Amino acid sequence: MDNKMKIVVIGGTGLIGTKLVNNLGQRGHEVVAASPSSGVNTFTGEGLAEALTGAQVVVDVANAPQWDDKAVLEFFETAGRNLLAAEAAAGVRHHVALSIVGADRLPASGYLRAKLAQENLIKASKVPFTIVRSTQFFEFVKGIAQSATEGQTVRLSPGMMQPIAADDVAAALTDVAVAEPVNGTIEIAGPEPIRMDEFVRQFLSATGDARKVNTDVHARYFGAELNDQSLVPGPGAKPRLGATRFVDWLSRSTS
């Protein structure tokens, strides 16, 4: 499907969306960066029909504006229904959604329950689809540290993760968007596994941050306790691996 297409990126002004819009534009596609700031709101339905007119592909990388359990579930369910209905009406041929590796393995997390609800809506719809489950982004490391900080201590799980650079996420989504729908799920991850406590420890060290990381197996992440299978690609998933190593990303982003 390398011929020129109209591709709508929902959440097109965010971290991943901006990179994706740029990548697809460079490949010669007509790309619409849709977000509430551009008058397209999947939650209210405002501007959706207009944005999707003539679109062959929609890539949904939007995030919920609020993250408490009830609000996030309501956002992903309502936005998901509105978007899929508008796509069906517009004759969209491929719905691509960014989800999270482990969404089905951490039912204690309200956020991941909401992502799973979003995935189930996509699977039940008539629009051909590809769900891309990604591991955590390197770019989240600062936020992970922040949310786990008490005073000068950062309390974190030693759960295994396999984080990925946002550039590599956008590259994978670019390839998926211009390919045929798989009507299934693919996983993407970074090149190397690392424990969450160590991930943050390396970041704090690289940025000259004096906070100390305390390892605690009961520390929660998005409301859930982690084990070594929680946030890494599932067995037999054969994930697509990003090229960027964390140490290289760290040295670039801190130089």
Side-chain angles (χ1 to χ4, degrees):
M1 278 169 78
D2 265 346
N3 48 344
K4 185 178 170 188
M5 295 185 286
K6 177 177 172 182
I7 302 175
V8 178
V9 179
I10 306 289
T13 55
L15 170 67
I16 302 296
T18 307
K19 297 174 188 292
L20 181 58
V21 166
N22 189 31
N23 290 357
L24 290 166
Q26 284 177 345
R27 292 201 187 187
H29 298 289
E30 178 195 340
V31 192
V32 177
S35 67
S37 59
S38 73
V40 182
N41 189 319
T42 52
F43 188 70
T44 63
E46 176 206 356
L48 260 183
E50 295 78 10
L52 295 188
T53 303
Q56 286 96 335
V57 180
V58 172
V59 187
D60 184 6
V61 293
N63 213 334
Q66 294 169 301
W67 287 37
D68 62 276
D69 286 4
K70 188 168 175 290
V72 79
L73 182 63
E74 191 186 9
F75 173 81
F76 282 122
E77 289 198 323
T78 305
R81 280 197 194 94
N82 288 343
L83 182 55
L84 291 161
E87 287 175 23
V92 169
R93 298 203 300 262
H94 190 187
H95 176 91
V96 180
L98 180 60
S99 191
I100 301 174
V101 162
D104 51 344
R105 295 198 288 270
L106 292 173
S109 164
Y111 186 78
L112 294 180
R113 284 200 303 274
K115 289 301 286 184
L116 201 57
Q118 180 191 30
E119 289 187 8
N120 290 334
L121 283 170
I122 293 164
K123 291 173 182 171
S125 119
K126 300 276 187 286
V127 181
F129 70 93
T130 305
I131 294 168
V132 179
R133 281 190 176 176
S134 173
T135 54
Q136 284 58 34
F137 311 155
F138 293 158
E139 285 76 4
F140 286 170
V141 66
K142 190 176 181 179
I144 293 173
Q146 213 51 50
S147 65
T149 295
E150 295 151 19
Q152 280 300 295
T153 322
V154 190
R155 196 167 68 88
L156 285 166
S157 165
M160 195 61 85
M161 54 197 302
Q162 198 162 328
I164 183 171
D167 280 341
D168 292 340
V169 175
L173 285 168
T174 303
D175 289 344
V176 168
V178 299
E180 295 292 336
V182 302
N183 294 312
T185 304
I186 60 179
E187 298 200 339
I188 60 176
E192 303 163 320
I194 185 172
R195 297 192 175 278
M196 185 177 284
D197 54 344
E198 189 55 29
F199 179 55
V200 172
R201 202 173 276 124
Q202 288 183 20
F203 169 74
L204 296 179
S205 166
T207 51
D209 192 312
R211 284 177 290 176
K212 290 277 174 281
V213 174
N214 279 359
T215 305
D216 178 355
V217 292
H218 299 299
R220 290 174 179 265
Y221 180 67
F222 277 121
E225 285 193 15
L226 304 177
N227 62 36
D228 283 350
Q229 286 73 49
S230 303
L231 298 176
V232 295
K238 296 195 178 68
R240 166 176 166 155
L241 299 183
T244 314
R245 295 168 62 228
F246 184 51
V247 288
D248 299 330
W249 179 86
L250 259 184
S251 65
R252 275 208 305 276
S253 51
T254 54
S255 58

